[in-house]
Amino acid sequence: MERVFISGRMRDIPFCDAWMQFDRVECYFRNNGFIVWNPIKCLDSSRSWLHNMCICIKHLSKSDIVAFLSGWEHSSGC
């Protein structure tokens, strides 16, 4: 089974909008048989940006596919 990492903008947009974008893509890939890592559901906002980026890079390195959400180019993490 292939692994998908979802990458997209989370800052400077309403959290509920970001959550819906990430969730929609996660559902699409899960429904099509992929293993999905959705950072918006897994990262801890009380930790530093750098700490969260290290976690993302770890999961990204294990992924076969990266799904970039609309607006990703405005994200310092993407």
Side-chain angles (χ1 to χ4, degrees):
M1 214 180 268
E2 289 187 300
R3 295 178 181 270
V4 177
F5 180 91
I6 303 172
S7 184
R9 185 177 180 187
M10 291 186 209
R11 289 181 168 185
D12 303 325
I13 61 173
F15 181 76
C16 61
D17 292 346
W19 180 276
M20 287 182 356
Q21 287 181 348
F22 277 81
D23 189 58
R24 185 174 54 247
V25 172
E26 178 184 2
C27 289
Y28 170 81
F29 279 104
R30 284 198 194 282
N31 290 338
N32 285 284
F34 293 86
I35 297 169
V36 181
W37 197 76
N38 183 347
I40 205 162
K41 292 182 178 177
C42 301
L43 297 178
D44 185 346
S45 62
S46 69
R47 296 200 172 151
S48 72
W49 178 86
L50 181 59
H51 180 88
N52 284 328
M53 285 298 99
C54 289
I55 293 170
C56 284
I57 290 168
K58 176 181 139 187
H59 288 280
L60 179 61
S61 70
K62 297 176 183 178
S63 298
D64 303 297
I65 298 167
V66 178
F68 288 97
L69 302 181
S70 178
W72 69 268
E73 63 276 5
H74 303 290
S75 170
S76 57
C78 291

